[in-house]
Amino acid sequence: MTEVTDAVGPAGRPSGPAARYDELIQPRRVHGSLYTSPEIFADELQQIWYRTWVYVGHVSEIAEPNDYVRKSIGPQDVIMTRTADGEVHLLLNRCAHRGNLVCEADAGNSSSFRCPYHGWTYRNNGDMLGYPFHQGYGGRNKLELGLGRVPRVGVYQGFVFGSFAEDGPTLEQHLGEAKGEIDRLVRLAPEGEIELSAGFLKHRARANWKLLAENETDGYHPQFVHASIFSVAESGIGALYGEKSTAVTRALGNGHSENDLRPEFRRLGVPLGWFGTTEEKVPNYVKAMRDRHGDSGAEEVLIEGAPHVMIFPNLFIAEIQLFAIQPLAADLTVQHVTAVQFKSAPEMNKRMLQQCVGSVGPAGMLLADDTEMYERNQAGVAELRPEWLDVRRGVDREEIDERGLTIGGATDETGMRGFWSHYKHLMTEGRVR
């Protein structure tokens, strides 16, 4: 392979946003500077986080009129609100006067926000309500200022996404094949709705956000990184990510990817086997599912289970858990994690919450294992030599499935290559001029 080091300058570090991404990202390897360069991180904010569709939250977090919750798009502090008429808005948490934060609480219920600095007040749709001592501005209603807004807000199956771009692909175009994976999750709920009502954990990792995104559908690491928890829990999950597994890794397009474990679950043919429980332990949930889908339909849904999908750039649905990735710097990322809850399924929800706490809670082992790897990776890529990271696993045995999507084996890096292909497009020919 021809070495390409002159693309990135001395010591392999790019000189700025003009970095030659087409040379930093190759079919079988990516350059280490993509994870460490503050200039590239700043470029990503403009080309990806402030341009494409980014997952923000779920409508169940603002269920009632005038509910609000603080969220984020990258480093941006965003308030997700529901107005009295039911509309969902994404507002920037910044007073139009002197930039003070107008919302301090993480969540609440209010039809307005008042800046504590000079008392400027805004409706929960972002419109200005008023400002004290109006004579200084020539009278009432003389200022046409409001809170900043995320220009486009889209909702799919209750999942709320925002885009700072005034135009571009629709949310459904962006989601593409990933919509089907969200549908798979929702159909497991007896009433066809999920809720994010269990509260969030925040995990800080001293690592680049792309290391987290790559890891989410990397089926090569579980048997090694998570061997201890699989052993303690006597879990069969590790075997799903082996050389003999019939599961596949699939690039879904637009940077999305999944570990499709359904071939293994269909082979086993055990309802709720994907969740490690039995029908007898959650009889009311199973009855509700059979009432909704019929016996044969429920059998299929309960055997196939929930998706394991990474939706570019920041939403990861790991069967019963949901992760939102928030990049704060080239080497600092926060993961916001919660348990998925099914509407009107209390006995199932209790078990999902318990499993979530056990795997990604403060004393959980699963995310702790992964975070250790993220931070070790970050420390490693800061070393000067070798400059490249290898992503070739399975590249010569990939196939195209009936939908025209690229699939690889359970342990192949097909999802990573799909991620980098889309990333490269956004950072080169798709970039904002």
Side-chain angles (χ1 to χ4, degrees), residues 141-383:
N141 304 319
K142 297 296 183 183
L143 297 179
E144 296 181 355
L145 297 173
L147 296 178
R149 294 180 173 89
V150 177
R152 290 194 294 165
V153 180
V155 182
Y156 184 77
Q157 295 276 29
F159 290 80
V160 180
F161 296 78
S163 174
F164 278 106
E166 298 280 354
D167 52 30
T170 65
L171 175 59
E172 293 217 350
Q173 289 171 329
H174 166 73
L175 291 176
E177 295 288 338
K179 288 190 300 181
E181 302 312 303
I182 295 176
D183 295 341
R184 279 183 59 201
L185 177 68
V186 171
R187 74 176 183 171
L188 278 163
E191 293 191 13
E193 294 181 38
I194 73 154
E195 297 176 333
L196 301 187
S197 54
F200 280 81
L201 294 163
K202 298 179 183 178
H203 292 270
R204 180 181 293 250
R206 296 195 176 281
N208 186 275
W209 68 275
K210 299 187 292 297
L211 289 170
L212 281 63
E214 287 178 294
N215 180 74
E216 309 303 27
T217 54
D218 168 32
Y220 196 17
H221 79 278
Q223 292 231 25
F224 311 102
V225 176
H226 305 306
S228 57
I229 190 172
F230 291 158
S231 174
V232 169
E234 298 181 351
S235 169
I237 296 296
L240 301 175
Y241 297 102
E243 281 287 79
K244 296 181 180 178
S245 173
T246 58
V248 300
T249 305
R250 180 178 287 110
L252 296 168
N254 293 343
H256 317 313
S257 62
E258 67 166 341
N259 293 124
D260 187 354
L261 306 177
R262 284 175 291 184
E264 281 290 293
F265 293 133
R266 289 172 184 147
R267 183 178 63 79
L268 297 172
V270 179
L272 293 169
W274 60 275
F275 187 51
T277 192
T278 63
E279 295 183 76
E280 291 72 25
K281 292 181 178 178
V282 284
N284 295 321
Y285 169 70
V286 172
K287 179 181 185 306
M289 290 294 286
R290 294 194 184 283
D291 288 346
R292 178 178 178 82
H293 297 287
D295 285 342
S296 61
E299 190 84 354
E300 176 187 322
V301 172
L302 294 175
I303 286 175
E304 292 187 343
H308 189 101
V309 60
M310 177 67 213
I311 297 177
F312 188 95
N314 71 323
L315 173 60
F316 174 42
I317 301 170
E319 287 88 11
I320 61 167
Q321 297 152 165
L322 182 147
F323 299 69
I325 297 173
Q326 181 189 16
L328 293 177
D331 58 355
L332 183 61
T333 305
V334 174
Q335 283 200 98
H336 304 258
V337 189
T338 190
V340 171
Q341 302 281 270
F342 298 147
K343 187 175 182 179
S344 302
E347 61 184 8
M348 189 67 172
N349 287 343
K350 182 179 179 181
R351 288 176 175 273
M352 290 197 291
L353 180 58
Q354 289 171 335
Q355 285 201 18
C356 180
V357 171
S359 59
V360 302
M365 298 173 67
L366 201 69
L367 190 55
D369 289 341
D370 280 331
T371 301
E372 174 73 9
M373 294 302 113
Y374 304 147
E375 297 191 346
R376 291 171 64 95
N377 271 69
Q378 190 67 33
V381 294
E383 302 289 335

